[in-house]
Amino acid sequence: MPVIFNHRFYFYDDTQIGAYPIWREIGDMLRSGQWPLFSAEGWQAGNYAAEGQWGIFSPVTLGIGLASTYFSNALVFSTLVKVVLLATASVGIYLVSRSLGALRPWAFVAGVASTVAGFTVYLDSPSWVTGLMVWAFLPFVWWSLRRMCNQQKSPLPVLVSGYLLVTVGYVHGTIMMVLLFVAVIVELLVGRDWKSLVKTVSSGALLGLVALAVYLPGVLTLRSTARTQVVANTNFLTVDLTGLAGSALPSNLPQVASWWWGPFAPAPLTYIAWFLPLFALVNFRQLRRLTPGMASVPVFLLLSLMLTLAPSDLGPLRTPVRLMPYVCLAAIVLFCVALSSARVSAVSRTRWLSTAAVFMGSVYLGWTGKPELWAVSARMVLIMAVGFAVTAVALRMIRTRSKADGVVAAVLVATSLALAFPQHYYFPNPPVQDFKLPADTSKYSTQLSGAKGQAVVVGTPSALDPSIWSESLVGNMWYLNPVSVHNLYSPIQNAAYSKDLCIASRGETCKELSTKLFEIDPTSGKPLADLLRVDTVQIVRDAADTSGAQLAMAVPPSGWSVASRTTNTVMWTRDTPLGSVGAPVYASEGTVVDPVSNSSSQVTFKVNEVPASGGTVTLSRIAWPGYAAQGATIVDPLRGYLLTVNVAPDMAGKTVTVSFQPPGWNVEIASLVAALLLGAAWSLVHALRGRRRPESPHESTAVSDSRDDSGPGADAGPVSTHSPDPALRSGEAEPEYALRKEDK
């Protein structure tokens, strides 16, 4: 539906300059027989293990990367990936809703409605694809946990779905999975199901070992990064209760400050579902008695809401509003389970008035934020009013419970989709940047034509007209270009490097860098460009220099020549290229070395001479935690970030090897292997025991509503996942419990 009004909808911002080119780089590396672990030429963006979101252990990310190499259109491929992820989420939400007691029509509502919630539609889907990935996998973790606990099924689905979630490398998703485990544990404690509690904790421990392998490199690298490590609230991408109060209005624009101008989001980021006011039709007394068997839902909703309302900065974790999809998921699932299990049999006038009051209150709060959108909101309200009216007629006219559920579910889904059309008509664009980069991947090979060695791009290309993309690029789109550049996208950044080069997270720099590159470093006596092994410099016209006069005056220093010049860019190349990024670039007085070998993860050089007091050698590499030296000692880096080693006097005539492994690498690999082996062993033992144990008719506790509407029990509600209280059968609104062998 979004692409009807904006065909580039799923190719915005971080997907465009971050995720998609990473997929291509991963795919190209895999096809060439390399595993994406580390790149010295990537500089601050080359520490893939610390970045996390490269998904170096994720079969999903690696598979997407491999598949991307067979597509020549980045827009089409990104759109396909997003739609598949949304469909995957729908299936998972349907399954978990069923396991919690929702009838099929209501589980269908949950599966559709969750994927059209505001934040998922307008931020995760178009831009933050790793957030969409982990959100899509979490319902499968939830479903498989309940399946393992309540039906004594294999732990393998829990471990597989949890592994797929954690290895994406998006830490917020892993945090939400931890909160989900907490919610399920609370549910098991309430039900005093000690055996299932042990299995849940055990599966959580194994997934914790996987998380250790994925996130420990980033934790041990944190001190070198530009990530903040304080608890503060800047109001950047935070949400308040007023914004949430209008979550039933599809045109509600909450007060969420971010990259956009003004205090209000330009898209309905906090929209959850239009039908939430129908919570008034729930028999809360009955729902309270059913709660012990589904306690994980309200607990997870509460925990998600608390974290979503947290300050903007919790140490290295930022922008809690990105957890809004989990609030939507829990709220919608709770609604559908409640309407399945505890809906009043006859809706009184008081309840309809309550529904109308909640509806009008949500509309009013949504309207007060942006009253100038009254015409848009009025159209939305009209569609919603029709949906409520048809729902009321269906509940009143259709006496058969199962048929009424089917009709109402169809009305809720149809109205949700009907609302999506005007929503995307009035808000067709995600509230993030479209860099308008070309979709055709063949158009990324000509930028920096004639460049030598490694390049630095000076300036902010994204501030100019999109025609600049024929000459320059931004972020990770440089991975699609044959030239190696410093200007890659890095969400963590190396603090000292980024400050020295005044380079932002997406690789754009200040205009002063063109001068600073040729300033002499006081320690080494060499220009910064030499220490960085830069052989090509492209200067992009500053947006304020509309006439191009400043760019026209740019003259290369001695030893450099103008390779090309246009109205928007000028490119200088070194007359005698230095090449060999990562090799030694400076040795202290009296120390003479010769390079022997050089690769991304290891460099070896021979020490020809070294004074009696010893000497230092600096390499053109960022001094990330994880470097080790044989025959030398790692010391404080030059300029705060260039890897430097101290060579002892007795090393003359010998070789020194400096190599990189992500910090804690042995522990990480051991924890990952242990998780895989223990998980496989547990699953195998369960399978063998299942074959030997005869089936008991009392093991079945799952819900089934597959019977014909006309048959016995047609109006029966779902079966609780825990042993039901016989007293629940007495009330007219209580569901009929029917255990059937085929339900297992």
Side-chain angles (χ1 to χ4, degrees), residues 104 113 155 168 241 291 322 396 434 442 444 489 491 538 542 548 616 669 680 693 731:
R104 283 179 177 162
V168 169
L241 290 174
T291 297
R322 71 181 70 204
R396 184 176 181 84
D434 178 10
S442 66
Y444 292 95
Y489 177 62
Q538 182 190 61
D542 188 71
T616 59
I669 294 299
R693 185 176 64 241

Side-chain angles (χ1 to χ4, degrees), residues 430-618:
V432 286
Q433 188 170 359
D434 178 10
F435 294 88
K436 301 188 183 303
L437 285 151
D440 186 353
T441 57
S442 66
K443 295 183 178 180
Y444 292 95
S445 59
T446 58
Q447 296 83 359
L448 295 185
S449 179
K452 301 176 183 178
Q454 191 165 52
V456 165
V457 178
V458 177
T460 308
S462 64
L464 302 181
D465 186 87
S467 62
I468 189 63
W469 304 135
S470 63
E471 301 177 46
S472 190
L473 294 173
V474 65
N476 286 339
M477 275 304 185
W478 283 114
Y479 282 124
L480 277 64
N481 187 276
V483 179
S484 172
V485 302
H486 281 251
N487 308 75
L488 298 170
Y489 177 62
S490 171
I492 62 172
Q493 298 184 269
N494 181 276
Y497 169 90
S498 60
K499 182 178 180 180
D500 197 26
L501 273 66
C502 60
I503 188 169
S505 60
R506 63 191 189 191
E508 295 177 311
T509 78
C510 62
K511 62 182 180 180
E512 291 78 13
L513 182 60
S514 60
T515 302
K516 189 171 187 178
L517 283 171
F518 302 100
E519 292 178 355
I520 302 300
D521 173 69
T523 301
S524 64
K526 294 188 173 185
L528 178 58
D530 290 12
L531 297 175
L532 298 175
R533 276 295 199 261
V534 172
D535 290 326
T536 298
V537 175
Q538 182 190 61
I539 304 174
V540 178
R541 177 177 62 82
D542 188 71
D545 181 23
T546 54
S547 65
Q550 295 179 15
L551 183 67
M553 292 188 296
V555 178
S558 175
W560 292 70
S561 302
V562 175
S564 65
R565 184 184 292 275
T566 69
T567 56
N568 286 325
T569 63
V570 60
M571 186 173 73
W572 302 337
T573 55
R574 195 187 293 268
D575 296 339
T576 305
L578 299 177
S580 192
V581 173
V585 290
Y586 163 69
S588 61
E589 186 176 356
T591 304
V592 179
V593 300
D594 283 331
V596 176
S597 63
N598 182 29
S599 66
S600 270
S601 59
Q602 182 173 291
V603 59
T604 300
F605 58 88
K606 183 179 180 182
V607 181
N608 295 328
E609 298 178 22
V610 60
S613 58
T616 59
V617 178
T618 298

